[in-house]
Amino acid sequence: MDRSQLLKGVLDLAVLAVIGESDAYGYDVVRQLRDAGLSEVADASVYGTLQRLYANGQLSTYQVASDAGPTRKYYALNATGRTALSEGHKTWQGVVNALDGLLDPPRGARR
Amino acid sequence: VNTTIIDEVTRYASEVEATCADLSAKQRQALLGDPPEHLREVAASGSLQAQLGSPQQYADEIRAAAGLPPRPVAENQEPVPWWRTIWRDLLPAWWVLRCYLAVWVWALVTQNWTYSFNTFPFPAPLGHPGLGLVATVLLIPPSLWLGHRHMRQPVAAMWVVIQVATTVYLLAFVSQAVGIGPNAASTQHATYQYSCCQPGTLVGPHQPGDALTVHWIVTGGGWSYQNSSPVTLRATLAGSFDTAAAAKPDTTARTIATADPIHTTTAAGGSPVSTIHIPTNAPPGYYDLRFSITMPGGGSSSGTSIIKVGK
């Protein structure tokens, strides 16, 4: 099964989840996604997704000067983003439960 | 930070940006605003190309994830010959020029193709350079609209040329009209000459009681530095005479009808008409139509024309 295809559908939710945990800048989001096990996530896809979520009004941004290196643009969830995250969470849970039921039917359900 | 890394990042970022050249500056800034910083961090752990793919792939991925349209595929077009490019760039200028030429044609038609080019470069339809200017300016928008309708892409650069040309034209016109330009010593006026009478308009025979109309000839219309002067146009009818031959030399004959004098000016032009009411008791015969054009202090001219009244 092609994991990268599957990821495309849930990247928005994954990014919202990372930022929902704590505000983060672009590369930070990429790293956290990879650390969480989504190794095939492309940098550019994450950047594009951040941009689109921001344009959709789900994220707010602010600049933070870093000690070494350039100013970083941090992303944070706003109210719309939090709503999107909790709704996405529910949707995802629903899909997972349904698939679990299909893949591992409870004993006695099948003859 | 290692300068090689900075070079690589700069090169990579500019290639990504070039790939997004079709986006608006605002979209590009939003999309590529932070990646250079990110690229530096990625570059610190190895080649950008190896980790991110080519700049084109990177740009395509960002665009797809951001929900923007994919970059346009370069069309394989035939190379456009240089003269067509020039022609295409000059088209808007032609759309403006043709308005000006059209007004010139109008000006020449209204002056029976005998136009004296006194008002050059401003066409003066019906003898009025101002009318020519207004007509030219009014024709430009529909002309541009008609021309532009057939263009696939707008020709932005030429609009500047058009605006400059129009401004220069207007300034030249105003300076000419109010007398501040290098060519204008003083205020200019249109100047007309009057004479009598338009051929064919006096053809008779006329009957007692008729209104005899005298159509004055108006010539000129060019601009001149002369001041406008008053002109009086008079016409009278004297007679009668038994023969045409007898009429002309006899200046003592009794005046039987007089047209109301027309007071006009050298700047007025138009098409003045005098009307002489032939008395109902006028005996049949030949009559002398006497006309005069007088300008106070500017001399006068006069003449006669023989008309026939009755049978």
Side-chain angles (χ1 to χ4, degrees), chain B residues 75-118:
Chain B
E75 290 165 42
N76 258 343
Q77 286 169 329
E78 295 272 308
V80 181
W82 61 270
W83 55 268
R84 283 190 68 169
T85 317
I86 292 181
W87 172 239
R88 206 190 84 105
D89 288 349
L90 288 177
L91 268 177
W94 160 243
W95 298 333
V96 172
L97 183 65
R98 66 185 176 186
C99 303
Y100 174 69
L101 294 178
V103 176
W104 262 112
V105 170
W106 182 26
L108 290 171
V109 166
T110 57
Q111 308 279 326
N112 290 322
W113 302 99
T114 58
Y115 193 80
S116 60
F117 282 76
N118 288 357

mmCIF file of all heavy atoms in Angstrom, chain B residues 75-118:
data_model
loop_
_atom_site.group_PDB
_atom_site.id
_atom_site.type_symbol
_atom_site.label_atom_id
_atom_site.label_comp_id
_atom_site.label_asym_id
_atom_site.label_seq_id
_atom_site.Cartn_x
_atom_site.Cartn_y
_atom_site.Cartn_z
ATOM 1 N N GLU B 75 4.710 26.217 -23.767
ATOM 2 C CA GLU B 75 4.192 25.775 -25.061
ATOM 3 C C GLU B 75 5.318 25.749 -26.083
ATOM 4 O O GLU B 75 6.185 26.616 -26.092
ATOM 5 C CB GLU B 75 3.094 26.727 -25.534
ATOM 6 C CG GLU B 75 1.841 26.612 -24.698
ATOM 7 C CD GLU B 75 0.916 27.792 -24.934
ATOM 8 O OE1 GLU B 75 0.767 28.189 -26.105
ATOM 9 O OE2 GLU B 75 0.378 28.316 -23.959
ATOM 10 N N ASN B 76 5.260 24.763 -26.935
ATOM 11 C CA ASN B 76 6.252 24.687 -28.005
ATOM 12 C C ASN B 76 5.756 25.460 -29.209
ATOM 13 O O ASN B 76 5.118 24.924 -30.099
ATOM 14 C CB ASN B 76 6.497 23.217 -28.381
ATOM 15 C CG ASN B 76 7.782 22.719 -27.763
ATOM 16 O OD1 ASN B 76 8.628 23.522 -27.346
ATOM 17 N ND2 ASN B 76 7.938 21.403 -27.703
ATOM 18 N N GLN B 77 6.039 26.756 -29.179
ATOM 19 C CA GLN B 77 5.493 27.588 -30.255
ATOM 20 C C GLN B 77 6.551 27.838 -31.306
ATOM 21 O O GLN B 77 7.741 27.823 -31.038
ATOM 22 C CB GLN B 77 5.023 28.926 -29.684
ATOM 23 C CG GLN B 77 3.731 28.776 -28.915
ATOM 24 C CD GLN B 77 3.425 30.032 -28.148
ATOM 25 O OE1 GLN B 77 4.315 30.750 -27.706
ATOM 26 N NE2 GLN B 77 2.157 30.295 -27.988
ATOM 27 N N GLU B 78 6.053 28.131 -32.500
ATOM 28 C CA GLU B 78 6.947 28.575 -33.566
ATOM 29 C C GLU B 78 7.555 29.908 -33.125
ATOM 30 O O GLU B 78 6.859 30.718 -32.521
ATOM 31 C CB GLU B 78 6.127 28.836 -34.836
ATOM 32 C CG GLU B 78 5.486 27.599 -35.405
ATOM 33 C CD GLU B 78 6.415 26.893 -36.368
ATOM 34 O OE1 GLU B 78 6.925 27.583 -37.284
ATOM 35 O OE2 GLU B 78 6.641 25.685 -36.207
ATOM 36 N N PRO B 79 8.833 30.138 -33.405
ATOM 37 C CA PRO B 79 9.374 31.452 -33.049
ATOM 38 C C PRO B 79 8.656 32.550 -33.839
ATOM 39 O O PRO B 79 8.394 32.389 -35.044
ATOM 40 C CB PRO B 79 10.847 31.356 -33.439
ATOM 41 C CG PRO B 79 10.949 30.165 -34.319
ATOM 42 C CD PRO B 79 9.813 29.253 -34.001
ATOM 43 N N VAL B 80 8.321 33.624 -33.151
ATOM 44 C CA VAL B 80 7.603 34.719 -33.804
ATOM 45 C C VAL B 80 8.614 35.599 -34.543
ATOM 46 O O VAL B 80 9.615 36.001 -33.964
ATOM 47 C CB VAL B 80 6.849 35.556 -32.743
ATOM 48 C CG1 VAL B 80 6.073 36.669 -33.399
ATOM 49 C CG2 VAL B 80 5.939 34.654 -31.931
ATOM 50 N N PRO B 81 8.381 35.895 -35.835
ATOM 51 C CA PRO B 81 9.332 36.747 -36.552
ATOM 52 C C PRO B 81 9.404 38.141 -35.917
ATOM 53 O O PRO B 81 8.408 38.636 -35.383
ATOM 54 C CB PRO B 81 8.761 36.819 -37.969
ATOM 55 C CG PRO B 81 7.369 36.318 -37.883
ATOM 56 C CD PRO B 81 7.270 35.458 -36.674
ATOM 57 N N TRP B 82 10.579 38.765 -35.992
ATOM 58 C CA TRP B 82 10.800 40.045 -35.293
ATOM 59 C C TRP B 82 9.833 41.118 -35.754
ATOM 60 O O TRP B 82 9.356 41.921 -34.973
ATOM 61 C CB TRP B 82 12.244 40.515 -35.495
ATOM 62 C CG TRP B 82 12.591 40.757 -36.945
ATOM 63 C CD1 TRP B 82 13.102 39.844 -37.808
ATOM 64 C CD2 TRP B 82 12.415 41.957 -37.680
ATOM 65 N NE1 TRP B 82 13.259 40.398 -39.038
ATOM 66 C CE2 TRP B 82 12.847 41.705 -38.988
ATOM 67 C CE3 TRP B 82 11.942 43.237 -37.361
ATOM 68 C CZ2 TRP B 82 12.809 42.662 -39.987
ATOM 69 C CZ3 TRP B 82 11.896 44.199 -38.354
ATOM 70 C CH2 TRP B 82 12.338 43.902 -39.659
ATOM 71 N N TRP B 83 9.504 41.114 -37.055
ATOM 72 C CA TRP B 83 8.637 42.197 -37.548
ATOM 73 C C TRP B 83 7.230 42.070 -37.005
ATOM 74 O O TRP B 83 6.526 43.045 -36.816
ATOM 75 C CB TRP B 83 8.644 42.244 -39.076
ATOM 76 C CG TRP B 83 8.265 40.935 -39.722
ATOM 77 C CD1 TRP B 83 9.094 39.937 -40.121
ATOM 78 C CD2 TRP B 83 6.944 40.493 -40.029
ATOM 79 N NE1 TRP B 83 8.393 38.905 -40.652
ATOM 80 C CE2 TRP B 83 7.060 39.215 -40.618
ATOM 81 C CE3 TRP B 83 5.664 41.054 -39.879
ATOM 82 C CZ2 TRP B 83 5.961 38.485 -41.046
ATOM 83 C CZ3 TRP B 83 4.572 40.324 -40.309
ATOM 84 C CH2 TRP B 83 4.723 39.043 -40.888
ATOM 85 N N ARG B 84 6.829 40.820 -36.690
ATOM 86 C CA ARG B 84 5.487 40.660 -36.117
ATOM 87 C C ARG B 84 5.446 41.146 -34.681
ATOM 88 O O ARG B 84 4.448 41.694 -34.225
ATOM 89 C CB ARG B 84 5.045 39.201 -36.200
ATOM 90 C CG ARG B 84 4.611 38.850 -37.608
ATOM 91 C CD ARG B 84 3.949 37.523 -37.659
ATOM 92 N NE ARG B 84 2.662 37.528 -36.980
ATOM 93 C CZ ARG B 84 1.802 36.523 -37.071
ATOM 94 N NH1 ARG B 84 2.098 35.472 -37.800
ATOM 95 N NH2 ARG B 84 0.663 36.568 -36.433
ATOM 96 N N THR B 85 6.566 40.934 -33.982
ATOM 97 C CA THR B 85 6.631 41.432 -32.609
ATOM 98 C C THR B 85 6.525 42.955 -32.614
ATOM 99 O O THR B 85 5.789 43.549 -31.829
ATOM 100 C CB THR B 85 7.976 41.027 -31.978
ATOM 101 O OG1 THR B 85 8.236 39.682 -32.344
ATOM 102 C CG2 THR B 85 7.935 41.170 -30.489
ATOM 103 N N ILE B 86 7.271 43.580 -33.528
ATOM 104 C CA ILE B 86 7.252 45.052 -33.595
ATOM 105 C C ILE B 86 5.856 45.531 -33.967
ATOM 106 O O ILE B 86 5.296 46.441 -33.347
ATOM 107 C CB ILE B 86 8.302 45.548 -34.622
ATOM 108 C CG1 ILE B 86 9.695 45.248 -34.084
ATOM 109 C CG2 ILE B 86 8.116 47.026 -34.904
ATOM 110 C CD1 ILE B 86 10.804 45.714 -34.977
ATOM 111 N N TRP B 87 5.263 44.898 -34.956
ATOM 112 C CA TRP B 87 3.926 45.278 -35.394
ATOM 113 C C TRP B 87 2.937 45.153 -34.238
ATOM 114 O O TRP B 87 2.128 46.034 -33.982
ATOM 115 C CB TRP B 87 3.514 44.399 -36.568
ATOM 116 C CG TRP B 87 2.076 44.559 -36.979
ATOM 117 C CD1 TRP B 87 1.124 43.594 -37.024
ATOM 118 C CD2 TRP B 87 1.440 45.763 -37.407
ATOM 119 N NE1 TRP B 87 -0.065 44.123 -37.433
ATOM 120 C CE2 TRP B 87 0.089 45.455 -37.680
ATOM 121 C CE3 TRP B 87 1.870 47.094 -37.565
ATOM 122 C CZ2 TRP B 87 -0.827 46.393 -38.114
ATOM 123 C CZ3 TRP B 87 0.946 48.035 -37.994
ATOM 124 C CH2 TRP B 87 -0.379 47.687 -38.269
ATOM 125 N N ARG B 88 3.051 44.049 -33.502
ATOM 126 C CA ARG B 88 2.155 43.818 -32.382
ATOM 127 C C ARG B 88 2.321 44.911 -31.324
ATOM 128 O O ARG B 88 1.364 45.412 -30.772
ATOM 129 C CB ARG B 88 2.481 42.453 -31.758
ATOM 130 C CG ARG B 88 1.329 41.799 -31.031
ATOM 131 C CD ARG B 88 1.857 40.598 -30.270
ATOM 132 N NE ARG B 88 2.386 41.048 -29.012
ATOM 133 C CZ ARG B 88 1.763 40.865 -27.853
ATOM 134 N NH1 ARG B 88 0.643 40.210 -27.815
ATOM 135 N NH2 ARG B 88 2.286 41.313 -26.741
ATOM 136 N N ASP B 89 3.577 45.300 -31.085
ATOM 137 C CA ASP B 89 3.824 46.333 -30.078
ATOM 138 C C ASP B 89 3.331 47.699 -30.546
ATOM 139 O O ASP B 89 2.988 48.555 -29.739
ATOM 140 C CB ASP B 89 5.329 46.420 -29.771
ATOM 141 C CG ASP B 89 5.791 45.208 -28.971
ATOM 142 O OD1 ASP B 89 4.909 44.455 -28.508
ATOM 143 O OD2 ASP B 89 7.003 45.018 -28.824
ATOM 144 N N LEU B 90 3.341 47.899 -31.865
ATOM 145 C CA LEU B 90 2.949 49.213 -32.385
ATOM 146 C C LEU B 90 1.454 49.340 -32.594
ATOM 147 O O LEU B 90 0.951 50.434 -32.820
ATOM 148 C CB LEU B 90 3.663 49.485 -33.716
ATOM 149 C CG LEU B 90 5.151 49.781 -33.600
ATOM 150 C CD1 LEU B 90 5.756 49.966 -34.979
ATOM 151 C CD2 LEU B 90 5.395 51.012 -32.753
ATOM 152 N N LEU B 91 0.740 48.218 -32.540
ATOM 153 C CA LEU B 91 -0.701 48.253 -32.830
ATOM 154 C C LEU B 91 -1.468 49.321 -32.046
ATOM 155 O O LEU B 91 -2.224 50.081 -32.652
ATOM 156 C CB LEU B 91 -1.326 46.876 -32.577
ATOM 157 C CG LEU B 91 -1.360 45.965 -33.801
ATOM 158 C CD1 LEU B 91 -1.925 44.615 -33.425
ATOM 159 C CD2 LEU B 91 -2.202 46.585 -34.905
ATOM 160 N N PRO B 92 -1.291 49.408 -30.734
ATOM 161 C CA PRO B 92 -2.062 50.425 -30.003
ATOM 162 C C PRO B 92 -1.804 51.832 -30.525
ATOM 163 O O PRO B 92 -2.718 52.658 -30.558
ATOM 164 C CB PRO B 92 -1.573 50.267 -28.559
ATOM 165 C CG PRO B 92 -1.064 48.877 -28.488
ATOM 166 C CD PRO B 92 -0.481 48.591 -29.836
ATOM 167 N N ALA B 93 -0.555 52.096 -30.936
ATOM 168 C CA ALA B 93 -0.254 53.417 -31.489
ATOM 169 C C ALA B 93 -1.072 53.639 -32.761
ATOM 170 O O ALA B 93 -1.604 54.726 -33.004
ATOM 171 C CB ALA B 93 1.233 53.539 -31.785
ATOM 172 N N TRP B 94 -1.193 52.596 -33.548
ATOM 173 C CA TRP B 94 -1.989 52.692 -34.765
ATOM 174 C C TRP B 94 -3.461 52.937 -34.434
ATOM 175 O O TRP B 94 -4.139 53.721 -35.082
ATOM 176 C CB TRP B 94 -1.823 51.420 -35.608
ATOM 177 C CG TRP B 94 -2.928 51.211 -36.593
ATOM 178 C CD1 TRP B 94 -3.811 50.185 -36.639
ATOM 179 C CD2 TRP B 94 -3.269 52.062 -37.696
ATOM 180 N NE1 TRP B 94 -4.687 50.338 -37.669
ATOM 181 C CE2 TRP B 94 -4.380 51.488 -38.343
ATOM 182 C CE3 TRP B 94 -2.754 53.266 -38.188
ATOM 183 C CZ2 TRP B 94 -4.977 52.062 -39.453
ATOM 184 C CZ3 TRP B 94 -3.358 53.837 -39.296
ATOM 185 C CH2 TRP B 94 -4.447 53.235 -39.912
ATOM 186 N N TRP B 95 -3.965 52.287 -33.373
ATOM 187 C CA TRP B 95 -5.368 52.479 -32.999
ATOM 188 C C TRP B 95 -5.642 53.938 -32.647
ATOM 189 O O TRP B 95 -6.735 54.440 -32.849
ATOM 190 C CB TRP B 95 -5.733 51.580 -31.808
ATOM 191 C CG TRP B 95 -5.591 50.122 -32.089
ATOM 192 C CD1 TRP B 95 -5.697 49.521 -33.313
ATOM 193 C CD2 TRP B 95 -5.298 49.078 -31.165
ATOM 194 N NE1 TRP B 95 -5.481 48.175 -33.192
ATOM 195 C CE2 TRP B 95 -5.240 47.870 -31.886
ATOM 196 C CE3 TRP B 95 -5.079 49.053 -29.797
ATOM 197 C CZ2 TRP B 95 -4.972 46.647 -31.286
ATOM 198 C CZ3 TRP B 95 -4.816 47.838 -29.189
ATOM 199 C CH2 TRP B 95 -4.758 46.647 -29.928
ATOM 200 N N VAL B 96 -4.635 54.606 -32.073
ATOM 201 C CA VAL B 96 -4.810 56.026 -31.746
ATOM 202 C C VAL B 96 -4.663 56.866 -33.010
ATOM 203 O O VAL B 96 -5.468 57.752 -33.285
ATOM 204 C CB VAL B 96 -3.770 56.449 -30.677
ATOM 205 C CG1 VAL B 96 -3.808 57.950 -30.484
ATOM 206 C CG2 VAL B 96 -4.046 55.738 -29.368
ATOM 207 N N LEU B 97 -3.638 56.520 -33.802
ATOM 208 C CA LEU B 97 -3.350 57.305 -35.006
ATOM 209 C C LEU B 97 -4.538 57.316 -35.959
ATOM 210 O O LEU B 97 -4.853 58.330 -36.576
ATOM 211 C CB LEU B 97 -2.113 56.723 -35.701
ATOM 212 C CG LEU B 97 -1.637 57.474 -36.946
ATOM 213 C CD1 LEU B 97 -1.165 58.872 -36.568
ATOM 214 C CD2 LEU B 97 -0.520 56.710 -37.649
ATOM 215 N N ARG B 98 -5.243 56.185 -36.072
ATOM 216 C CA ARG B 98 -6.326 56.127 -37.048
ATOM 217 C C ARG B 98 -7.478 57.057 -36.667
ATOM 218 O O ARG B 98 -8.205 57.524 -37.537
ATOM 219 C CB ARG B 98 -6.808 54.691 -37.239
ATOM 220 C CG ARG B 98 -7.487 54.053 -36.035
ATOM 221 C CD ARG B 98 -7.795 52.596 -36.325
ATOM 222 N NE ARG B 98 -8.359 51.931 -35.154
ATOM 223 C CZ ARG B 98 -8.613 50.629 -35.093
ATOM 224 N NH1 ARG B 98 -8.347 49.862 -36.124
ATOM 225 N NH2 ARG B 98 -9.126 50.096 -34.019
ATOM 226 N N CYS B 99 -7.647 57.338 -35.363
ATOM 227 C CA CYS B 99 -8.680 58.303 -34.938
ATOM 228 C C CYS B 99 -8.324 59.685 -35.469
ATOM 229 O O CYS B 99 -9.171 60.406 -36.002
ATOM 230 C CB CYS B 99 -8.760 58.367 -33.420
ATOM 231 S SG CYS B 99 -9.078 56.783 -32.659
ATOM 232 N N TYR B 100 -7.044 60.023 -35.298
ATOM 233 C CA TYR B 100 -6.547 61.321 -35.749
ATOM 234 C C TYR B 100 -6.720 61.457 -37.268
ATOM 235 O O TYR B 100 -7.216 62.459 -37.777
ATOM 236 C CB TYR B 100 -5.083 61.407 -35.332
ATOM 237 C CG TYR B 100 -4.322 62.607 -35.803
ATOM 238 C CD1 TYR B 100 -4.605 63.872 -35.305
ATOM 239 C CD2 TYR B 100 -3.296 62.469 -36.726
ATOM 240 C CE1 TYR B 100 -3.887 64.972 -35.722
ATOM 241 C CE2 TYR B 100 -2.567 63.561 -37.144
ATOM 242 C CZ TYR B 100 -2.868 64.823 -36.647
ATOM 243 O OH TYR B 100 -2.156 65.898 -37.063
ATOM 244 N N LEU B 101 -6.340 60.389 -38.003
ATOM 245 C CA LEU B 101 -6.462 60.429 -39.463
ATOM 246 C C LEU B 101 -7.924 60.541 -39.885
ATOM 247 O O LEU B 101 -8.265 61.262 -40.826
ATOM 248 C CB LEU B 101 -5.828 59.174 -40.074
ATOM 249 C CG LEU B 101 -4.310 59.084 -39.887
ATOM 250 C CD1 LEU B 101 -3.789 57.775 -40.477
ATOM 251 C CD2 LEU B 101 -3.603 60.264 -40.529
ATOM 252 N N ALA B 102 -8.808 59.833 -39.163
ATOM 253 C CA ALA B 102 -10.231 59.876 -39.505
ATOM 254 C C ALA B 102 -10.762 61.289 -39.356
ATOM 255 O O ALA B 102 -11.536 61.774 -40.196
ATOM 256 C CB ALA B 102 -11.012 58.911 -38.618
ATOM 257 N N VAL B 103 -10.333 61.989 -38.314
ATOM 258 C CA VAL B 103 -10.799 63.370 -38.111
ATOM 259 C C VAL B 103 -10.230 64.282 -39.198
ATOM 260 O O VAL B 103 -10.915 65.194 -39.677
ATOM 261 C CB VAL B 103 -10.428 63.863 -36.694
ATOM 262 C CG1 VAL B 103 -10.820 65.316 -36.516
ATOM 263 C CG2 VAL B 103 -11.127 63.011 -35.647
ATOM 264 N N TRP B 104 -9.019 63.994 -39.644
ATOM 265 C CA TRP B 104 -8.463 64.752 -40.767
ATOM 266 C C TRP B 104 -9.324 64.575 -42.021
ATOM 267 O O TRP B 104 -9.606 65.536 -42.736
ATOM 268 C CB TRP B 104 -7.023 64.324 -41.075
ATOM 269 C CG TRP B 104 -6.018 65.240 -40.465
ATOM 270 C CD1 TRP B 104 -5.158 64.958 -39.454
ATOM 271 C CD2 TRP B 104 -5.788 66.613 -40.812
ATOM 272 N NE1 TRP B 104 -4.412 66.057 -39.141
ATOM 273 C CE2 TRP B 104 -4.762 67.093 -39.960
ATOM 274 C CE3 TRP B 104 -6.326 67.479 -41.743
ATOM 275 C CZ2 TRP B 104 -4.281 68.390 -40.021
ATOM 276 C CZ3 TRP B 104 -5.845 68.786 -41.800
ATOM 277 C CH2 TRP B 104 -4.841 69.225 -40.953
ATOM 278 N N VAL B 105 -9.729 63.340 -42.265
ATOM 279 C CA VAL B 105 -10.573 63.093 -43.440
ATOM 280 C C VAL B 105 -11.882 63.875 -43.305
ATOM 281 O O VAL B 105 -12.325 64.536 -44.242
ATOM 282 C CB VAL B 105 -10.850 61.572 -43.600
ATOM 283 C CG1 VAL B 105 -11.911 61.320 -44.652
ATOM 284 C CG2 VAL B 105 -9.557 60.844 -43.946
ATOM 285 N N TRP B 106 -12.451 63.834 -42.112
ATOM 286 C CA TRP B 106 -13.683 64.577 -41.864
ATOM 287 C C TRP B 106 -13.452 66.077 -42.129
ATOM 288 O O TRP B 106 -14.243 66.736 -42.802
ATOM 289 C CB TRP B 106 -14.129 64.334 -40.418
ATOM 290 C CG TRP B 106 -15.410 65.003 -40.036
ATOM 291 C CD1 TRP B 106 -16.428 65.352 -40.876
ATOM 292 C CD2 TRP B 106 -15.808 65.422 -38.735
ATOM 293 N NE1 TRP B 106 -17.438 65.947 -40.173
ATOM 294 C CE2 TRP B 106 -17.088 66.007 -38.853
ATOM 295 C CE3 TRP B 106 -15.223 65.345 -37.469
ATOM 296 C CZ2 TRP B 106 -17.776 66.517 -37.755
ATOM 297 C CZ3 TRP B 106 -15.918 65.852 -36.387
ATOM 298 C CH2 TRP B 106 -17.176 66.435 -36.519
ATOM 299 N N ALA B 107 -12.324 66.584 -41.603
ATOM 300 C CA ALA B 107 -12.013 68.004 -41.787
ATOM 301 C C ALA B 107 -11.903 68.336 -43.271
ATOM 302 O O ALA B 107 -12.446 69.343 -43.738
ATOM 303 C CB ALA B 107 -10.702 68.336 -41.070
ATOM 304 N N LEU B 108 -11.230 67.462 -44.028
ATOM 305 C CA LEU B 108 -11.045 67.733 -45.464
ATOM 306 C C LEU B 108 -12.377 67.660 -46.200
ATOM 307 O O LEU B 108 -12.644 68.466 -47.093
ATOM 308 C CB LEU B 108 -10.039 66.730 -46.051
ATOM 309 C CG LEU B 108 -8.597 66.954 -45.556
ATOM 310 C CD1 LEU B 108 -7.706 65.809 -46.005
ATOM 311 C CD2 LEU B 108 -8.062 68.280 -46.073
ATOM 312 N N VAL B 109 -13.233 66.721 -45.824
ATOM 313 C CA VAL B 109 -14.536 66.596 -46.486
ATOM 314 C C VAL B 109 -15.363 67.851 -46.242
ATOM 315 O O VAL B 109 -15.952 68.405 -47.166
ATOM 316 C CB VAL B 109 -15.280 65.329 -45.993
ATOM 317 C CG1 VAL B 109 -16.749 65.378 -46.399
ATOM 318 C CG2 VAL B 109 -14.619 64.084 -46.546
ATOM 319 N N THR B 110 -15.380 68.322 -44.989
ATOM 320 C CA THR B 110 -16.213 69.494 -44.692
ATOM 321 C C THR B 110 -15.647 70.757 -45.322
ATOM 322 O O THR B 110 -16.321 71.766 -45.381
ATOM 323 C CB THR B 110 -16.360 69.704 -43.168
ATOM 324 O OG1 THR B 110 -15.057 69.838 -42.593
ATOM 325 C CG2 THR B 110 -17.077 68.545 -42.514
ATOM 326 N N GLN B 111 -14.401 70.717 -45.773
ATOM 327 C CA GLN B 111 -13.829 71.885 -46.447
ATOM 328 C C GLN B 111 -13.710 71.609 -47.953
ATOM 329 O O GLN B 111 -12.905 72.234 -48.631
ATOM 330 C CB GLN B 111 -12.435 72.197 -45.888
ATOM 331 C CG GLN B 111 -12.374 72.315 -44.384
ATOM 332 C CD GLN B 111 -12.838 73.665 -43.889
ATOM 333 O OE1 GLN B 111 -12.629 74.665 -44.548
ATOM 334 N NE2 GLN B 111 -13.480 73.688 -42.744
ATOM 335 N N ASN B 112 -14.503 70.675 -48.422
ATOM 336 C CA ASN B 112 -14.500 70.329 -49.851
ATOM 337 C C ASN B 112 -13.105 69.996 -50.387
ATOM 338 O O ASN B 112 -12.769 70.326 -51.520
ATOM 339 C CB ASN B 112 -15.098 71.459 -50.687
ATOM 340 C CG ASN B 112 -16.575 71.576 -50.444
ATOM 341 O OD1 ASN B 112 -17.255 70.554 -50.291
ATOM 342 N ND2 ASN B 112 -17.070 72.787 -50.382
ATOM 343 N N TRP B 113 -12.284 69.380 -49.587
ATOM 344 C CA TRP B 113 -10.932 68.949 -49.974
ATOM 345 C C TRP B 113 -10.042 70.129 -50.365
ATOM 346 O O TRP B 113 -9.034 69.948 -51.026
ATOM 347 C CB TRP B 113 -10.980 67.931 -51.125
ATOM 348 C CG TRP B 113 -11.778 66.723 -50.762
ATOM 349 C CD1 TRP B 113 -13.066 66.481 -51.095
ATOM 350 C CD2 TRP B 113 -11.352 65.604 -49.981
ATOM 351 N NE1 TRP B 113 -13.496 65.289 -50.568
ATOM 352 C CE2 TRP B 113 -12.453 64.720 -49.880
ATOM 353 C CE3 TRP B 113 -10.147 65.261 -49.351
ATOM 354 C CZ2 TRP B 113 -12.383 63.527 -49.182
ATOM 355 C CZ3 TRP B 113 -10.086 64.072 -48.665
ATOM 356 C CH2 TRP B 113 -11.206 63.224 -48.583
ATOM 357 N N THR B 114 -10.458 71.347 -49.971
ATOM 358 C CA THR B 114 -9.621 72.496 -50.309
ATOM 359 C C THR B 114 -8.984 73.058 -49.056
ATOM 360 O O THR B 114 -8.662 74.228 -48.982
ATOM 361 C CB THR B 114 -10.460 73.604 -50.974
ATOM 362 O OG1 THR B 114 -11.509 73.964 -50.052
ATOM 363 C CG2 THR B 114 -11.031 73.160 -52.279
ATOM 364 N N TYR B 115 -8.854 72.200 -48.082
ATOM 365 C CA TYR B 115 -8.387 72.665 -46.785
ATOM 366 C C TYR B 115 -6.998 73.273 -46.871
ATOM 367 O O TYR B 115 -6.076 72.700 -47.433
ATOM 368 C CB TYR B 115 -8.362 71.463 -45.844
ATOM 369 C CG TYR B 115 -8.197 71.857 -44.420
ATOM 370 C CD1 TYR B 115 -9.295 72.305 -43.707
ATOM 371 C CD2 TYR B 115 -6.963 71.807 -43.811
ATOM 372 C CE1 TYR B 115 -9.152 72.682 -42.401
ATOM 373 C CE2 TYR B 115 -6.814 72.187 -42.515
ATOM 374 C CZ TYR B 115 -7.916 72.627 -41.804
ATOM 375 O OH TYR B 115 -7.765 72.996 -40.511
ATOM 376 N N SER B 116 -6.875 74.455 -46.283
ATOM 377 C CA SER B 116 -5.533 75.002 -46.155
ATOM 378 C C SER B 116 -4.994 74.489 -44.826
ATOM 379 O O SER B 116 -5.704 74.463 -43.833
ATOM 380 C CB SER B 116 -5.586 76.523 -46.144
ATOM 381 O OG SER B 116 -6.362 76.954 -45.061
ATOM 382 N N PHE B 117 -3.768 74.047 -44.797
ATOM 383 C CA PHE B 117 -3.262 73.349 -43.619
ATOM 384 C C PHE B 117 -2.817 74.318 -42.518
ATOM 385 O O PHE B 117 -1.873 74.057 -41.807
ATOM 386 C CB PHE B 117 -2.125 72.401 -44.027
ATOM 387 C CG PHE B 117 -2.640 71.137 -44.655
ATOM 388 C CD1 PHE B 117 -3.098 71.138 -45.957
ATOM 389 C CD2 PHE B 117 -2.684 69.957 -43.922
ATOM 390 C CE1 PHE B 117 -3.586 69.977 -46.524
ATOM 391 C CE2 PHE B 117 -3.181 68.793 -44.498
ATOM 392 C CZ PHE B 117 -3.636 68.807 -45.800
ATOM 393 N N ASN B 118 -3.561 75.429 -42.411
ATOM 394 C CA ASN B 118 -3.179 76.445 -41.420
ATOM 395 C C ASN B 118 -3.169 75.923 -40.003
ATOM 396 O O ASN B 118 -2.383 76.358 -39.180
ATOM 397 C CB ASN B 118 -4.158 77.624 -41.473
ATOM 398 C CG ASN B 118 -3.961 78.435 -42.711
ATOM 399 O OD1 ASN B 118 -3.068 78.135 -43.487
ATOM 400 N ND2 ASN B 118 -4.780 79.445 -42.908
#
